[in-house]
Amino acid sequence: MKRSPMSFSCMSGMPVLAAALLALAGCSPSSDSASVVTSAAAQAKPQSQVAVARGKIDVEGGLLDLSAAAPGLVQQLLIKEGQAVQKGQLVLRMADDAARADLAVAESELQLAQTKLKTRQERLPVLKTTLARWQSAAKQGAADLQNVDEAMQALHDAQAEVDIAGAEATVAKRKVEQLRALQQRHELRAPEAGTVVRLETQVGSMLQSGSHVAVLLPQRPLIVRAEVNESFVSAIREGMKAQVSVDGDAAPTKQDLPSATVLRVSPVYGTARLQDDTQRGPVRIVETVLAFDQPPVNAKVGQNVRVSFHE
């Protein structure tokens, strides 16, 4: 049977995959057939891997060490390991009987100073009215200037007393604020939402200023810190995609994690902590930080991973 020219032109000079796709499409020379071929070729083209690196799963900023701001005896410990906490939640309270007593005295002094100031201020309108009356009477010749001077001096003295009482009230207020701030140093609150990973104290323990109390895993997205060998640093750039999988003998089977995108590449070289060359010595690397495209399931901070960078 004689083959038509159109059939020959469709089949000649084309890859087998493209020819098969055109055959399924009726070997029509339309633009639809061309798009099918292009799509198939794009799908058939493998991703180009440019580098492989070891890394660890981390959280941006790292774990948070909660420390005591002042020395004291642990009176209450209001959290436990594995507990989720919210920002500002009370974590620990230390014994502060002396601080509470000092604050109570200061608050009483403030109340007294404010009462004294109020009493002094209430006298001013009366003295101002008295002065105005004496001045009016003096203009009409019904009073001596001495009476005016005495009324003016009384008002001046009263105003000075108000100023002094106001200064005393301000000092008392500042003292209360200071003691309240010191009392708050006997309390420890979560700086942000997260999960308590580890406790490092207990009720009855004596803490020094700066003593570690707990370790908090902040509620932030997980990231990957990968150590890229200096030989492949030039091939890595921000925005590049990568495949991440669990690394280590502990994983019975290869566990793929969500794909990731390079956030930043460190501008400095460092020494590898996840890999070493026994013959050549320490390996020089550049740390690369990647963000997961989707939240990983069952991934843990500190978990070893292998990162494959590709175009």
Side-chain angles (χ1 to χ4, degrees):
M1 181 177 67
K2 186 177 180 180
R3 182 175 296 173
S4 66
M6 178 60 73
S7 298
F8 181 80
S9 64
C10 288
M11 299 301 294
S12 62
M14 288 189 177
V16 176
L17 177 58
L21 288 171
L22 283 178
L24 290 174
C27 199
S28 171
S30 65
S31 59
D32 293 340
S33 299
S35 63
V36 171
V37 175
T38 304
S39 176
Q43 293 177 3
K45 182 180 178 180
Q47 293 176 336
S48 176
Q49 180 175 292
V50 298
V52 178
R54 285 193 170 94
K56 277 188 178 294
I57 294 179
D58 199 357
V59 63
E60 191 73 63
L63 300 177
L64 299 178
D65 288 326
L66 306 187
S67 303
L73 182 71
V74 178
Q75 189 176 62
Q76 289 180 297
L77 187 59
L78 306 173
I79 57 172
K80 58 184 179 180
E81 291 187 1
Q83 177 181 343
V85 296
Q86 301 300 318
K87 181 178 180 180
Q89 181 174 334
L90 185 62
V91 170
L92 173 145
R93 179 181 284 117
M94 292 186 289
D96 58 349
D97 295 340
R100 287 177 180 272
D102 291 342
L103 178 60
V105 172
E107 289 175 338
S108 297
E109 292 175 346
L110 174 60
Q111 184 176 6
L112 181 62
Q114 290 175 335
T115 301
K116 181 179 178 180
L117 174 61
K118 183 179 180 181
T119 302
R120 298 288 189 273
Q121 289 174 333
E122 288 175 347
R123 293 179 56 198
L124 292 180
V126 176
L127 293 174
K128 288 179 180 179
T129 300
T130 301
L131 175 60
R133 288 176 178 175
W134 281 118
Q135 287 175 334
S136 177
K139 288 180 180 180
Q140 297 174 6
D144 296 332
L145 292 178
Q146 182 178 355
N147 298 118
V148 176
D149 292 340
E150 291 176 352
M152 187 175 296
Q153 185 62 44
L155 177 59
H156 182 271
D157 293 342
Q159 183 63 57
E161 292 177 354
V162 168
D163 294 340
I164 294 173
E168 291 174 345
T170 299
V171 172
K173 182 179 179 181
R174 295 289 183 269
K175 184 177 180 181
V176 168
E177 293 173 348
Q178 181 183 30
L179 291 175
R180 283 176 179 171
L182 290 174
Q183 186 182 21
Q184 289 177 356
R185 289 169 60 86
H186 290 82
E187 296 180 347
L188 181 61
R189 297 181 179 274
E192 59 182 286
T195 302
V196 180
V197 176
R198 185 170 62 256
L199 284 178
E200 300 182 357
T201 190
Q202 58 185 350
V203 174
S205 297
M206 188 67 188
L207 299 180
Q208 300 300 321
S209 179
S211 297
H212 287 179
V213 172
V215 178
L216 184 68
L217 171 62
Q219 191 176 353
R220 305 177 195 160
L222 297 180
I223 60 174
V224 175
R225 296 186 182 275
E227 297 182 346
V228 179
N229 190 286
E230 61 180 340
S231 302
F232 303 101
V233 170
S234 59
I236 308 302
R237 66 181 186 279
E238 293 182 3
M240 178 175 284
K241 294 294 183 179
Q243 296 297 325
V244 183
S245 59
V246 174
D247 187 24
D249 298 334
T253 58
K254 181 179 178 181
Q255 178 185 348
D256 287 330
L257 297 169
S259 60
T261 303
V262 176
L263 284 182
R264 57 184 179 271
V265 180
S266 175
V268 299
Y269 284 90
T271 303
R273 292 175 294 176
L274 304 177
Q275 52 185 315
D276 198 3
D277 191 327
T278 56
Q279 296 180 351
R280 299 181 180 179
V283 178
R284 283 167 53 83
I285 57 92
V286 168
E287 185 180 75
T288 301
V289 178
L290 303 94
F292 285 105
D293 296 334
Q294 296 178 356
V297 179
N298 298 326
K300 299 183 182 298
V301 172
Q303 193 170 16
N304 292 328
V305 294
R306 185 176 293 270
V307 183
S308 299
F309 300 87
H310 57 79
E311 294 288 355

Short mmCIF file of all heavy atoms in Angstrom, two decimals, residues 59-88:
data_model
loop_
_atom_site.label_atom_id
_atom_site.label_comp_id
_atom_site.label_asym_id
_atom_site.label_seq_id
_atom_site.Cartn_x
_atom_site.Cartn_y
_atom_site.Cartn_z
N VAL A 59 15.38 25.28 63.60
CA VAL A 59 14.34 26.29 63.63
C VAL A 59 15.02 27.64 63.57
O VAL A 59 16.09 27.82 64.16
CB VAL A 59 13.46 26.15 64.89
CG1 VAL A 59 14.27 26.38 66.15
CG2 VAL A 59 12.27 27.10 64.84
N GLU A 60 14.45 28.57 62.84
CA GLU A 60 15.08 29.89 62.66
C GLU A 60 15.34 30.53 64.02
O GLU A 60 14.45 30.67 64.85
CB GLU A 60 14.17 30.79 61.84
CG GLU A 60 14.83 32.07 61.38
CD GLU A 60 15.86 31.84 60.28
OE1 GLU A 60 15.47 31.38 59.18
OE2 GLU A 60 17.04 32.12 60.52
N GLY A 61 16.59 30.90 64.25
CA GLY A 61 16.95 31.49 65.53
C GLY A 61 17.39 30.49 66.57
O GLY A 61 17.95 30.87 67.60
N GLY A 62 17.11 29.21 66.33
CA GLY A 62 17.54 28.17 67.27
C GLY A 62 16.62 28.03 68.47
O GLY A 62 15.62 28.75 68.63
N LEU A 63 16.97 27.07 69.33
CA LEU A 63 16.22 26.87 70.57
C LEU A 63 16.47 28.02 71.52
O LEU A 63 17.51 28.68 71.47
CB LEU A 63 16.64 25.55 71.22
CG LEU A 63 16.43 24.27 70.38
CD1 LEU A 63 16.96 23.06 71.13
CD2 LEU A 63 14.96 24.08 70.04
N LEU A 64 15.52 28.27 72.41
CA LEU A 64 15.62 29.39 73.36
C LEU A 64 15.96 28.86 74.75
O LEU A 64 15.27 27.97 75.27
CB LEU A 64 14.31 30.17 73.41
CG LEU A 64 13.85 30.82 72.10
CD1 LEU A 64 12.51 31.52 72.32
CD2 LEU A 64 14.89 31.80 71.59
N ASP A 65 17.02 29.40 75.34
CA ASP A 65 17.37 29.08 76.72
C ASP A 65 16.70 30.11 77.64
O ASP A 65 17.00 31.31 77.56
CB ASP A 65 18.88 29.12 76.92
CG ASP A 65 19.57 27.94 76.25
OD1 ASP A 65 18.97 26.85 76.22
OD2 ASP A 65 20.70 28.12 75.74
N LEU A 66 15.82 29.63 78.52
CA LEU A 66 15.17 30.51 79.48
C LEU A 66 16.01 30.54 80.76
O LEU A 66 16.31 29.48 81.33
CB LEU A 66 13.75 30.02 79.79
CG LEU A 66 12.84 29.81 78.58
CD1 LEU A 66 11.42 29.48 79.04
CD2 LEU A 66 12.83 31.03 77.68
N SER A 67 16.38 31.73 81.20
CA SER A 67 17.29 31.88 82.34
C SER A 67 16.68 32.80 83.38
O SER A 67 15.86 33.67 83.07
CB SER A 67 18.64 32.43 81.88
OG SER A 67 19.22 31.61 80.90
N ALA A 68 17.10 32.62 84.62
CA ALA A 68 16.63 33.45 85.71
C ALA A 68 17.26 34.84 85.62
O ALA A 68 18.46 34.97 85.35
CB ALA A 68 16.98 32.81 87.05
N ALA A 69 16.46 35.86 85.83
CA ALA A 69 16.96 37.24 85.75
C ALA A 69 17.56 37.70 87.07
O ALA A 69 18.32 38.67 87.09
CB ALA A 69 15.84 38.18 85.34
N ALA A 70 17.23 37.01 88.18
CA ALA A 70 17.73 37.41 89.49
C ALA A 70 17.93 36.16 90.34
O ALA A 70 17.31 35.13 90.08
CB ALA A 70 16.75 38.38 90.17
N PRO A 71 18.79 36.22 91.34
CA PRO A 71 18.97 35.06 92.21
C PRO A 71 17.76 34.87 93.11
O PRO A 71 17.05 35.81 93.45
CB PRO A 71 20.22 35.43 93.02
CG PRO A 71 20.25 36.92 93.02
CD PRO A 71 19.68 37.34 91.69
N GLY A 72 17.54 33.63 93.51
CA GLY A 72 16.42 33.37 94.41
C GLY A 72 16.08 31.89 94.49
O GLY A 72 16.65 31.05 93.77
N LEU A 73 15.15 31.58 95.37
CA LEU A 73 14.69 30.21 95.61
C LEU A 73 13.45 29.95 94.77
O LEU A 73 12.50 30.74 94.79
CB LEU A 73 14.38 30.01 97.09
CG LEU A 73 13.93 28.62 97.51
CD1 LEU A 73 15.09 27.64 97.44
CD2 LEU A 73 13.35 28.66 98.94
N VAL A 74 13.45 28.84 94.02
CA VAL A 74 12.31 28.50 93.18
C VAL A 74 11.12 28.13 94.07
O VAL A 74 11.17 27.15 94.82
CB VAL A 74 12.64 27.32 92.23
CG1 VAL A 74 11.41 26.96 91.40
CG2 VAL A 74 13.81 27.68 91.32
N GLN A 75 10.08 28.93 93.99
CA GLN A 75 8.89 28.71 94.81
C GLN A 75 7.81 27.97 94.03
O GLN A 75 7.14 27.09 94.58
CB GLN A 75 8.35 30.05 95.30
CG GLN A 75 7.25 29.97 96.34
CD GLN A 75 6.86 31.34 96.84
OE1 GLN A 75 6.39 32.18 96.08
NE2 GLN A 75 7.07 31.58 98.12
N GLN A 76 7.66 28.31 92.76
CA GLN A 76 6.67 27.65 91.89
C GLN A 76 7.29 27.36 90.53
O GLN A 76 7.96 28.23 89.96
CB GLN A 76 5.43 28.52 91.70
CG GLN A 76 4.55 28.66 92.92
CD GLN A 76 3.34 29.54 92.62
OE1 GLN A 76 3.48 30.72 92.31
NE2 GLN A 76 2.15 28.96 92.70
N LEU A 77 7.08 26.16 90.01
CA LEU A 77 7.47 25.79 88.66
C LEU A 77 6.20 25.37 87.94
O LEU A 77 5.60 24.34 88.27
CB LEU A 77 8.49 24.65 88.68
CG LEU A 77 9.13 24.27 87.35
CD1 LEU A 77 9.87 25.46 86.74
CD2 LEU A 77 10.06 23.08 87.50
N LEU A 78 5.76 26.19 86.99
CA LEU A 78 4.42 26.05 86.42
C LEU A 78 4.40 25.39 85.05
O LEU A 78 3.39 25.46 84.35
CB LEU A 78 3.77 27.45 86.33
CG LEU A 78 3.76 28.22 87.67
CD1 LEU A 78 3.27 29.62 87.46
CD2 LEU A 78 2.89 27.50 88.68
N ILE A 79 5.48 24.75 84.65
CA ILE A 79 5.54 24.07 83.36
C ILE A 79 6.15 22.69 83.54
O ILE A 79 6.74 22.39 84.59
CB ILE A 79 6.38 24.86 82.33
CG1 ILE A 79 7.80 25.10 82.87
CG2 ILE A 79 5.71 26.16 81.95
CD1 ILE A 79 8.75 25.69 81.87
N LYS A 80 6.01 21.86 82.53
CA LYS A 80 6.65 20.54 82.51
C LYS A 80 7.13 20.25 81.10
O LYS A 80 6.69 20.89 80.13
CB LYS A 80 5.68 19.46 82.97
CG LYS A 80 4.40 19.36 82.16
CD LYS A 80 3.46 18.34 82.75
CE LYS A 80 2.16 18.25 81.95
NZ LYS A 80 1.24 17.25 82.51
N GLU A 81 8.02 19.31 80.95
CA GLU A 81 8.59 18.99 79.65
C GLU A 81 7.50 18.50 78.69
O GLU A 81 6.63 17.71 79.07
CB GLU A 81 9.69 17.93 79.79
CG GLU A 81 10.93 18.45 80.48
CD GLU A 81 12.07 17.45 80.48
OE1 GLU A 81 11.89 16.35 79.91
OE2 GLU A 81 13.15 17.75 81.02
N GLY A 82 7.58 18.97 77.45
CA GLY A 82 6.60 18.60 76.44
C GLY A 82 5.37 19.49 76.42
O GLY A 82 4.53 19.36 75.53
N GLN A 83 5.27 20.41 77.36
CA GLN A 83 4.10 21.29 77.44
C GLN A 83 4.20 22.44 76.45
O GLN A 83 5.28 23.01 76.25
CB GLN A 83 3.96 21.83 78.86
CG GLN A 83 2.81 22.81 79.05
CD GLN A 83 2.74 23.33 80.48
OE1 GLN A 83 3.31 22.77 81.40
NE2 GLN A 83 2.04 24.45 80.66
N ALA A 84 3.10 22.78 75.83
CA ALA A 84 3.03 23.95 74.95
C ALA A 84 2.73 25.18 75.79
O ALA A 84 1.86 25.14 76.67
CB ALA A 84 1.97 23.76 73.89
N VAL A 85 3.43 26.27 75.54
CA VAL A 85 3.23 27.51 76.29
C VAL A 85 2.96 28.64 75.32
O VAL A 85 3.38 28.60 74.15
CB VAL A 85 4.45 27.84 77.17
CG1 VAL A 85 4.64 26.78 78.24
CG2 VAL A 85 5.71 27.97 76.34
N GLN A 86 2.28 29.66 75.81
CA GLN A 86 1.97 30.83 75.01
C GLN A 86 2.89 31.98 75.41
O GLN A 86 3.47 31.99 76.49
CB GLN A 86 0.50 31.23 75.20
CG GLN A 86 -0.48 30.15 74.81
CD GLN A 86 -0.35 29.74 73.36
OE1 GLN A 86 -0.19 30.59 72.48
NE2 GLN A 86 -0.41 28.45 73.10
N LYS A 87 3.00 32.96 74.53
CA LYS A 87 3.82 34.13 74.81
C LYS A 87 3.32 34.84 76.05
O LYS A 87 2.12 35.11 76.20
CB LYS A 87 3.81 35.09 73.62
CG LYS A 87 4.67 36.32 73.82
CD LYS A 87 4.66 37.20 72.60
CE LYS A 87 5.52 38.45 72.80
NZ LYS A 87 5.53 39.33 71.61
N GLY A 88 4.23 35.14 76.99
CA GLY A 88 3.87 35.84 78.21
C GLY A 88 3.39 34.93 79.32
O GLY A 88 3.13 35.40 80.44
#
